[in-house]
Amino acid sequence: MLLSDILVYGLMNGAVYAMLAIGFSLIFGSARIINLAHTAFFMLASYAVFYFGSNLGLSPFLSIPVSIILVVLIGVFVYYVFMEPIREHETAVLIVTVAIALVFQEAVLIIFGGHYRGVSSIISGYISPFGIRISYQYLLTLGVVSLALLTVWLLLMKTRLGIAIRSSAQDREVANLMGMNVARIAAATMAISVALAAVAGVMVAPLYTLEPHMWLNPLVLVLAIVILGGLGSVKGSFIGAMILAFIEVTVVFLLPGGAFLKVAIALAIMLVILIVRPEGLFGVYLEGER
């Protein structure tokens, strides 16, 4: 039963971390932007679905898509106003994205206060296959997140936009000389990146406790994942997310009293791997480069 629990919850956490890390890698690969505000969009989406569902009384089938669309629009606005003008200045981008995340955090603190918030499950109940109790909400979240990851993979591999994103990530100058509008491609990538964070945010909102600092811990994990997988590598982000998620879950189940050490242990193992392979597991910009 212990191995089954680790498998179920490891897959669930890994899928969510993968969505966040892939979004982070996409915008870096396409626009060379290290967006430290990425997980703040995850937080905004969680609070948005809380506001639309709990405060306005909208059904989940309406509040979820509205929240995702709203956060994507905010993300595109932030990109055009604050990031795109300074995109070539990496240090300035880092400072600005941290500032944006803090502005979002303070705005949420002012609007919703510092209290812990919760979102009702979209579907209640659970199943018990082989004696493992799994809530329907976990299964729904895992299914939606997996579908979103598959959609992004198909978009990158099978569509003209995906080819353009991968070409821009490989060599922006050549892509520009071939007539591609790299600025528009970067904006589209930003929208996809924020959408991934927003989908993750709305789906885990019923499973997590909402509070204004909830973006910090995922940001640390996302940075660890993309460094472990290789900065800019989509495949590396996915595998890195699964590795750290399973390490986390294993620590929680095997050492319940030391669960607070789960992130520290995951990061320590990441450091060991990086000592052996400094460029990360897949140290390329996008997997299509090889």
Side-chain angles (χ1 to χ4, degrees):
M1 183 178 293
L2 181 61
L3 290 177
S4 302
D5 287 336
I6 292 174
L7 178 64
V8 170
Y9 292 102
L11 282 175
M12 165 69 198
N13 289 349
V16 172
Y17 294 160
M19 287 195 68
L20 292 172
I22 288 173
F24 188 95
S25 290
L26 279 177
I27 192 61
F28 173 79
S30 178
R32 303 296 188 271
I33 289 176
I34 298 179
N35 180 17
L36 297 181
H38 184 63
T39 52
F41 294 110
F42 165 81
M43 174 197 65
L44 283 183
S46 295
Y47 270 96
V49 79
F50 164 76
Y51 176 76
F52 288 123
S54 301
N55 289 25
L56 300 186
L58 299 183
S59 73
F61 301 103
L62 188 57
S63 62
I64 287 177
V66 169
S67 299
I68 294 172
I69 293 171
L70 176 63
V71 173
V72 170
L73 291 176
I74 293 173
V76 173
F77 173 80
V78 166
Y79 171 77
Y80 274 118
V81 175
F82 299 106
M83 296 184 189
E84 205 277 337
I86 59 170
R87 195 175 61 187
E88 304 299 332
H89 306 282
E90 297 178 358
T91 304
V93 169
L94 288 175
I95 295 172
V96 166
T97 54
V98 170
I100 291 169
L102 292 176
V103 168
F104 287 160
Q105 173 188 297
E106 295 306 309
V108 167
L109 189 60
I110 292 172
I111 296 172
F112 298 99
H115 308 292
Y116 293 121
R117 306 285 185 175
V119 176
S120 302
S121 297
I122 300 172
I123 51 175
S124 58
Y126 61 89
I127 58 174
S128 302
F130 308 107
I132 311 168
R133 180 168 170 168
I134 308 172
S135 72
Y136 289 133
Q137 183 62 45
Y138 263 98
L139 292 177
L140 176 65
T141 302
L142 181 60
V144 172
V145 170
S146 300
L147 181 62
L149 290 173
L150 177 62
T151 302
V152 170
W153 182 82
L154 291 174
L155 185 147
L156 289 175
M157 296 300 160
K158 304 294 182 182
T159 67
R160 292 171 61 88
L161 176 60
I163 294 172
I165 290 173
R166 289 189 288 134
S167 301
S168 177
Q170 188 171 11
D171 194 320
R172 290 179 58 205
E173 290 186 4
V174 172
N176 193 34
L177 290 173
M178 293 179 67
M180 297 181 186
N181 188 332
V182 293
R184 187 171 296 176
I185 293 171
T189 308
M190 180 68 182
I192 296 170
S193 170
V194 174
L196 286 173
V199 171
V202 298
M203 293 311 301
V204 303
L207 306 174
Y208 285 20
T209 300
L210 275 55
E211 53 94 12
H213 303 93
M214 62 180 289
W215 62 280
L216 285 171
N217 190 52
L219 177 62
V220 173
L221 285 170
V222 165
L223 292 174
I225 289 166
V226 296
I227 292 172
L228 175 62
L231 190 57
S233 169
V234 173
K235 182 167 61 180
S237 295
F238 180 82
I239 294 175
M242 288 297 170
I243 291 174
L244 290 193
F246 274 99
I247 291 173
E248 263 196 357
V249 173
T250 302
V251 170
V252 170
F253 277 97
L254 294 183
L255 301 170
F260 63 94
L261 295 173
K262 61 181 183 179
V263 176
I265 293 175
L267 295 181
I269 294 176
M270 177 205 73
L271 290 175
V272 171
I273 295 175
L274 289 181
I275 290 173
V276 179
R277 191 175 172 82
E279 72 275 21
L281 297 175
F282 301 91
V284 294
Y285 288 123
L286 283 176
E287 60 202 41
E289 287 187 331
R290 283 182 174 174

